[in-house]
Amino acid sequence: MAIERYEIETFLALAEELHFRRASERLGLSTGRVSQTVKRLERRVGAPLFDRTSRQVALTATGQRLRDDLQPAYESVQRAVARAIEFGRGITCTLQIGYSAPWVADLLGAATETFRMHRPDCDITIHEVQVGNPLGGLRSGDLDLQISEFPVHETGLAIGPVVLTEPRALMVPARHPFAHRDTVSLEDLADVPLISIHGAVPGYWLDAHLPLHTPSGRPIPQGPTATYWTEIPTLVAAGRGVSPVAACGRLYHSRPGIAFVPFRDAPPIEYGLIRSIGRDSAPLRAFITTLLEVAAAQRENGTGDSRALGFGP
C-alpha cells in the first residue's frame, strides 16, 4: 500500500497534537482537509487510527503502531533532504540540538540567532525531545546537544552545566479545589492522582519529578500515563489528574479547564546541557559558549523570569 507524503505528514501531525485544529494550523490546512485525509488513510489501513470524542482525540492501538513505525522513517527522509539543501547552500557544518520545553526552545532560538551572525556557514536545527523518550535522540546519535530537565545520571553522557532554572507549579483542573489556592505543598500530592509518563524514562528521573510518595512517605495516587506532552494538559483539563510543571508553563500552556498553582516547598527545575561523550567538534564547542553567554545575559536582564507571573519570592 503506497502512502502519499501529505498523508504521512497529516497523520503524524495529528498523532502529535491530538487536536484537529492545532494540527490543521500546524499544517496550514483546513480542519476538514485534515479529517478527510485521516479518514482516507483509515480506509486504506482498514482500521481506525484515532478515537474521536467531542472532548478529545486519542490514538488507537493501530494508530500508535503506525506512528511508531512511520516517525523514524519520515525523520530520516527529512534529514536526507535537509542535507542535500545544506550542501547546495554551501553549509560546511550542521548541529542538531534538542530541547524538552518551549522556554528552552526560546533560549536556543536566541543563541542560534547570535551564533549565526559569526558562523553563517553552520546550520543549526532544533528539535523537540519527546517526554516519553527523553534521551533517545542522544543515544541514537541524532542529536549533538540537548537541554533537558535534570537529574541525568547516564554512562556515556556528559552532563552540565545548568543553563536555566525554573520554580515549580502544579497544573490542576480548573474545577479542582487546589485551583483556588495561592500555593500547594508536595504533601498535597497525596490527595490527587498524579499523571505519569510512559516510555523509556529513567526511574530516578521519575522519582525526582513524578514521585510515588510525598516527602513524609504518604503514597501518591497514580493517574493515567502519557507518552507525549500534548496529552498531559488534555488529561488535566478532563479532571483525570494533576501534573507538576515549570511555573513559566503558565505562559505557554494556558487553556480553558486548567490552572497553575505554585509550589511553596518544591525545589526548582534545573535545565542543563547533555551531550554524548566523544561527540565533540569546534562548532559544537563554539555554540555551547554562545549559548552560555546568552543564558547569562538573559538571567541578568530577568528575561523569562517566572517572578513576572507572580510566582516565587
Side-chain angles (χ1 to χ4, degrees), residues 3-311:
I3 300 179
E4 300 292 336
R5 176 178 173 178
Y6 77 91
E7 292 176 317
I8 295 174
E9 292 177 341
T10 301
F11 168 73
L12 290 177
L14 185 58
E16 181 174 343
E17 298 291 346
L18 296 176
H19 193 282
F20 276 91
R21 179 181 57 78
R22 290 198 297 269
S24 66
E25 291 174 350
R26 172 172 164 179
L27 294 165
L29 302 173
S30 68
T31 54
R33 179 68 181 278
V34 172
S35 179
Q36 291 170 5
T37 301
V38 170
K39 288 179 180 177
R40 186 182 306 113
L41 186 56
E42 287 177 325
R43 287 195 297 269
R44 297 169 72 182
V45 171
L49 300 174
F50 296 92
D51 286 326
R52 308 164 179 82
T53 69
S54 59
R55 290 192 172 186
Q56 66 180 15
V57 177
L59 282 163
T60 64
T62 302
Q64 292 176 2
R65 178 63 181 268
L66 183 61
R67 178 201 61 198
D68 293 344
D69 288 343
L70 279 180
Q71 189 75 48
Y74 176 73
E75 291 176 354
S76 178
V77 170
Q78 293 292 88
R79 287 193 298 270
V81 173
R83 285 193 293 268
I85 293 173
E86 290 162 1
F87 184 80
R89 289 167 47 200
I91 299 298
T92 62
C93 71
T94 60
L95 294 175
Q96 306 293 329
I97 315 295
Y99 68 91
S100 61
W103 39 97
V104 175
D106 288 348
L107 171 61
L108 280 172
T112 297
E113 184 176 353
T114 299
F115 184 73
R116 282 174 175 160
M117 294 172 60
H118 304 286
R119 288 294 305 268
D121 64 316
C122 190
D123 190 63
I124 298 173
T125 305
I126 61 176
H127 309 266
E128 182 178 5
V129 175
Q130 295 301 333
V131 68
N133 189 20
L135 301 174
L138 287 170
R139 293 299 192 195
S140 67
D142 291 334
L143 296 178
D144 298 292
L145 178 70
Q146 182 173 316
I147 304 179
S148 293
E149 299 87 347
F150 284 177
V152 175
H153 307 301
E154 301 289 323
T155 59
L157 296 180
I159 312 301
V162 172
V163 295
L164 187 65
T165 302
E166 283 292 333
R168 294 180 201 246
L170 189 64
M171 185 165 58
V172 304
R175 301 180 301 276
H176 195 278
F178 285 0
H180 305 290
R181 295 187 182 183
D182 293 329
T183 63
V184 291
S185 167
L186 290 172
E187 290 297 325
D188 291 325
L189 294 177
D191 300 322
V192 63
L194 185 66
I195 297 169
S196 191
I197 303 298
H198 172 75
V201 186
Y204 62 80
W205 191 96
L206 291 173
D207 291 340
H209 296 281
L210 302 168
L212 297 176
H213 298 86
T214 69
S216 69
R218 299 166 65 200
I220 298 173
Q222 296 301 293
T225 60
T227 303
Y228 295 89
W229 164 255
T230 51
E231 301 173 69
I232 297 176
T234 300
L235 290 169
V236 173
R240 302 285 304 281
V242 302
S243 178
V245 295
C248 65
R250 179 180 174 186
L251 288 175
Y252 296 82
H253 301 303
S254 288
R255 53 174 286 183
I258 62 176
F260 295 81
V261 188
F263 277 103
R264 61 178 176 272
D265 57 356
I269 301 176
E270 295 182 330
Y271 299 83
L273 303 185
I274 314 169
R275 56 200 183 279
S276 296
I277 294 175
R279 184 159 183 165
D280 193 17
S281 67
L284 180 59
R285 292 193 297 272
F287 178 77
I288 290 174
T289 298
T290 300
L291 175 65
L292 296 177
E293 291 172 350
V294 170
Q298 289 190 355
R299 286 195 297 271
E300 291 178 4
N301 296 330
T303 306
D305 193 333
S306 292
R307 287 175 291 182
L309 300 173
F311 296 161

